[in-house]
């Protein structure tokens, strides 16, 4: 990947936040600006968590085709790359988590590298290799392949829409400042959630449950749970682990808009928890009902 667009993606939103901070300090921010920013962050972040992550990569449920299209469009609008780039990088992360070859591991490459520097360091050849090795199964789905191809149009639309609604300040808040927050929230799952927080389950990586990222990233911060049960539709596994994305999956299921929702059987969950308390490292069995592993994810890729 050329470094220039990635550098721009890192720097422009940061400059926008500084300008936005100054405008807020001097009382030059409208309600429309704030709404465009907050709604933009939530919707595009939701496209990533519900669409790219839990549906495309982990097949944690099957959405109605219309819902699938909306989720793929919203995820593409997050400016986190075409869906197949995102999905294949994440598949590789699960297969080699916190081991040599993991694209973003804070314990191997350092915190800043895992947070966002890896994006700068990755060449187009490396990205193409990752797509070729881990992305084939995603391209078999015609709708996913189409959104992958048309990524740039959706990304541009995510700037045009706030501009059409709120003019230049709409573009600043609903475009660039929104991108700053949604990017850093997603990146925090890769960096913070492999570094800070308790672990509920024994896994072969350093994944953690982080409550702050749990809330900001719409449930994705319960990341140790996610590495323990990659295909579970729900990342929050206790009543106090608030999982906004999981909650909406439940609502969509009741409305008949999603089906085949993957749940971890209670007994299995308890067994894994007990293993952790006893500090016994018992590997997951790939064939276990409802509990696919990182190894089985890699095999499926
Ligand atoms: Zn992870
Ligand atoms: Zn995942």
């Amino acid at each position: 990947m050329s470094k220039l667009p990635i550098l721009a993606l890192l720097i422009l939103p940061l400059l926008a936040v500084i300008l936005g901070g100054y405008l807020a300090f001097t009382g030059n921010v409208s309600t429309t600006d704030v709404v465009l920013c907050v709604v933009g962050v939530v919707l595009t972040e939701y496209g990533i968590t519900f669409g790219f992550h839990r549906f495309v990569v982990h097949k944690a449920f099957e959405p109605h085709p219309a819902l699938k299209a909306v989720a793929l469009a919203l995820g593409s609008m997050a400016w986190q790359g075409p869906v197949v780039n995102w999905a294949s990088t994440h598949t590789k992360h699960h297969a080699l988590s916190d081991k040599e070859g993991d694209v973003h591991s804070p314990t191997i490459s350092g915190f800043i590298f895992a947070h966002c520097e890896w994006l700068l360091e990755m060449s187009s050849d490396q990205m193409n290799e990752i797509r070729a090795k881990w992305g084939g199964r995603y391209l078999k789905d015609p709708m996913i392949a189409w959104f992958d191809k048309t990524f740039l149009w959706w990304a541009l639309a995510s700037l045009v829409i706030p501009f059409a609604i709120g003019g230049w300040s709409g573009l600043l808040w609903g475009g660039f400042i929104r991108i700053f927050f949604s990017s850093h929230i997603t990146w925090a799952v890769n960096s913070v959630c492999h570094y800070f927080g308790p672990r509920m389950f024994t896994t072969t990586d350093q994944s953690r449950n982080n409550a702050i990222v749990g809330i900001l990233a719409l449930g994705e911060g319960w990341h140790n749970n996610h590495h323990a049960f990659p295909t579970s539709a729900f990342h929050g596994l206790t009543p106090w682990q608030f999982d906004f994305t999981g909650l909406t999956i439940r609502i969509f299921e009741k409305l008949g808009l999603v089906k085949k929702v993957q749940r971890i059987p209670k007994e299995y969950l308890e067994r894994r928890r007990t293993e952790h308390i006893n500090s016994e490292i018992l590997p997951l069995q790939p064939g276990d009902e409802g509990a696919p592993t990182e190894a089985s994810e890699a095999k499926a890729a």
Side-chain angles (χ1 to χ4, degrees):
M1 244 176 286
S2 162
K3 288 197 190 320
L4 206 65
I6 302 293
L7 250 184
L9 197 65
L10 289 172
I11 292 171
L12 289 179
L14 178 64
L15 293 176
V17 166
I18 295 169
L19 176 61
Y22 169 76
L23 292 173
F25 190 70
T26 51
N28 287 305
V29 179
S30 69
T31 312
T32 310
D33 297 334
V34 177
V35 170
L36 281 172
C37 184
V38 174
V39 171
V41 169
V42 173
L43 286 181
T44 56
E45 191 57 23
Y46 189 70
I48 294 291
T49 65
F50 175 90
F52 283 20
H53 190 206
R54 299 193 200 188
F55 163 61
V56 174
V57 177
H58 295 294
K59 297 281 175 282
F61 55 87
E62 205 179 289
H64 183 281
L67 183 61
K68 177 175 161 183
V70 171
L72 290 170
L74 289 174
S76 304
M77 287 174 158
W79 280 86
Q80 292 183 20
V83 54
V84 176
N85 285 16
W86 200 104
S88 26
T89 308
H90 188 70
T91 308
K92 190 179 183 200
H93 167 64
H94 274 275
L96 302 169
S97 196
D98 291 318
K99 291 173 194 71
E100 212 49 55
D102 184 359
V103 187
H104 41 62
S105 165
T107 49
I108 290 189
S109 321
F111 189 85
I112 300 292
F113 187 91
H115 190 69
C116 57
E117 197 188 333
W118 66 274
L119 287 159
L120 261 181
E121 299 297 326
M122 191 182 285
S123 67
S124 350
D125 285 350
Q126 282 170 317
M127 190 66 244
N128 288 336
E129 261 174 49
I130 292 174
R131 277 177 71 102
K133 183 162 182 192
W134 306 94
R137 66 170 156 154
Y138 306 120
L139 286 165
K140 283 183 194 149
D141 180 318
M143 194 193 285
I144 293 176
W146 186 78
F147 274 98
D148 183 67
K149 220 165 36 191
T150 56
F151 160 72
L152 207 57
W153 292 107
W154 296 103
L156 289 174
S158 82
L159 300 179
V160 171
I161 294 166
F163 179 72
I165 297 172
W168 290 109
S169 70
L171 177 65
L172 178 75
W173 287 91
F176 294 99
I177 295 177
R178 178 263 304 176
I179 292 172
F180 177 88
F181 286 113
S182 64
S183 306
H184 283 277
I185 288 169
T186 298
W187 297 338
V189 178
N190 299 331
S191 57
V192 176
C193 295
H194 275 259
Y195 216 86
F196 300 105
R199 286 161 61 77
M200 221 165 100
F201 300 99
T202 304
T203 54
T204 54
D205 50 58
Q206 287 301 317
S207 56
R208 313 270 155 170
N209 286 336
N210 186 289
I212 297 170
V213 184
I215 290 160
L216 292 176
L218 312 179
E220 304 276 291
W222 312 113
H223 200 56
N224 171 247
N225 297 354
H226 174 55
H227 273 276
F229 306 106
T231 61
S232 169
F234 309 103
H235 292 192
L237 295 176
T238 65
W240 50 268
Q241 290 178 339
F242 184 66
D243 179 1
F244 179 83
T245 307
L247 178 69
T248 58
I249 292 170
R250 261 183 244 276
I251 295 170
F252 282 137
E253 188 184 28
K254 283 209 162 48
L255 296 173
L257 290 170
V258 306
K259 51 185 185 179
K260 295 186 185 166
V261 176
Q262 299 294 317
R263 291 182 163 83
I264 307 301
K266 261 207 175 89
E267 326 76 68
Y268 189 85
L269 206 138
E270 278 314 308
R271 203 173 97 211
R272 284 297 308 271
R273 239 207 276 238
T274 319
E275 284 163 13
H276 176 63
I277 291 164
N278 294 335
S279 299
E280 266 178 67
I281 300 174
L282 297 174
L284 283 167
Q285 297 304 308
D288 275 2
E289 182 71 27
T293 65
E294 288 97 330
S296 64
E297 289 283 336
K299 212 170 136 199

